[in-house]
Amino acid sequence: MNGSRTLATAARVLRQLRHDPRTIALMLLVPVLMITLLRYVFDGGPSVFDGIGASLLGIFPLITMFLVTSIATLRERTSGTLERLLAMPLGKADLIAGYALAFGLLAAVQSALATAVALWVLGLDVAGSPWLLLLVALLDALLGTALGLFVSAFAASEFQAVQFMPAVVFPQLLLCGLFAPRDRMHPALEAVSDVLPMSYAVDGMNEVLHHAEVTGAFLRDVLVVAACALLVLALGAATLRRRTP
């Protein structure tokens, strides 16, 4: 992987996104709006929002980054841009790393904005440091980016890219512990949830929610989410195709 080629790819992606305000609004504003909506859905019971708000800071960025990244990458392939780029001295790893860097910068802004609004506007009460909350939110957004890059290789149209969400994101959403504690699920479902990265993102958020100090469980959760993001990026580079299937 060449650093200068990776940076050039990231710069090109950011220039393209700059001319697409709707995509930028989707990435930056939708998580904030959804968290705000849920805060007032539970307006009669603020403690409910305190219980789930931290988890949502990890879930919403993953979903939006998954959608935007998978569709944006697919557009590159269907327009022929990806084929022209790979015909140049640009490796697949350079391309994937460049996309990850560009969307990762936007993910950092997205996570910081959503975390700031949840804590200082909506009054989310957490025992731990806001920086730890931001760290998990950022890693989850990066995981969504990695998943989007990976699944885009198997979609032939934007509609198919969206169809991957029920297969890739929804099972994690249902089994991550947001709706029911994972240890109270059926043993088979609990075993499945133990290998899904969103489960560790939610667990990490809950550690920050309930503990003022950095716990061993928090470190484990952060490392698992980061490792999953890197693994999926590597798989994305390995499965990257010049054209649509």
Side-chain angles (χ1 to χ4, degrees):
M1 187 171 65
N2 184 285
S4 60
R5 294 170 185 168
T6 298
L7 291 175
T9 301
R12 181 185 62 81
V13 174
L14 290 174
R15 285 195 300 270
Q16 289 179 331
L17 289 174
R18 185 180 61 184
H19 300 293
D20 191 353
R22 288 177 295 181
T23 298
I24 294 176
L26 174 64
M27 286 190 288
L28 300 184
L29 299 181
V30 167
V32 173
L33 293 175
M34 294 301 294
I35 291 173
T36 303
L37 175 63
L38 282 173
R39 164 63 181 85
Y40 291 103
V41 166
F42 299 112
D43 191 46
S47 60
V48 178
F49 178 71
D50 288 337
I52 67 171
S55 299
L56 296 176
L57 281 175
I59 292 172
F60 286 152
L62 184 151
I63 294 174
T64 55
M65 293 306 297
F66 173 86
L67 275 174
V68 170
T69 307
S70 60
I71 292 174
T73 309
L74 185 64
R75 284 178 181 174
E76 295 276 77
R77 185 180 295 109
T78 55
S79 65
T81 302
L82 189 60
E83 185 175 8
R84 292 192 297 271
L85 288 172
L86 290 178
M88 301 167 61
L90 180 71
K92 292 183 178 181
D94 297 321
L95 190 67
I96 289 293
Y99 272 92
L101 179 58
F103 285 109
L105 291 174
L106 290 172
V109 177
Q110 177 198 71
S111 301
L113 184 61
T115 302
V117 169
L119 290 174
W120 294 301
V121 177
L122 303 179
L124 179 66
D125 185 21
V126 297
S129 168
W131 293 107
L132 298 179
L133 209 62
L134 175 59
L135 173 62
V136 182
L138 175 57
L139 288 175
D140 222 23
L142 291 174
L143 176 62
T145 299
L147 288 170
L149 289 170
F150 175 62
V151 304
S152 67
F154 305 99
S157 66
E158 294 181 11
F159 179 66
Q160 286 187 7
V162 174
Q163 285 180 313
F164 273 105
M165 177 171 283
V168 176
V169 177
F170 285 1
Q172 296 192 65
L173 181 63
L174 294 174
L175 300 177
C176 69
L178 178 65
F179 300 105
R182 294 195 293 125
D183 58 2
R184 297 182 186 176
M185 297 178 183
H186 187 280
L189 295 180
E190 183 182 358
V192 173
S193 73
D194 286 341
V195 299
L196 298 177
M198 190 184 288
S199 301
Y200 295 92
V202 170
D203 287 349
M205 289 293 192
N206 287 330
E207 288 293 313
V208 180
L209 181 66
H210 298 295
H211 301 280
E213 71 283 354
V214 177
T215 64
F218 174 81
L219 293 176
R220 177 207 63 193
D221 297 332
V222 166
L223 289 174
V224 169
V225 175
C228 287
L230 291 175
L231 175 61
V232 175
L233 282 176
L235 292 174
T239 57
L240 185 65
R241 302 180 184 182
R242 295 172 180 259
R243 300 179 180 179
T244 53

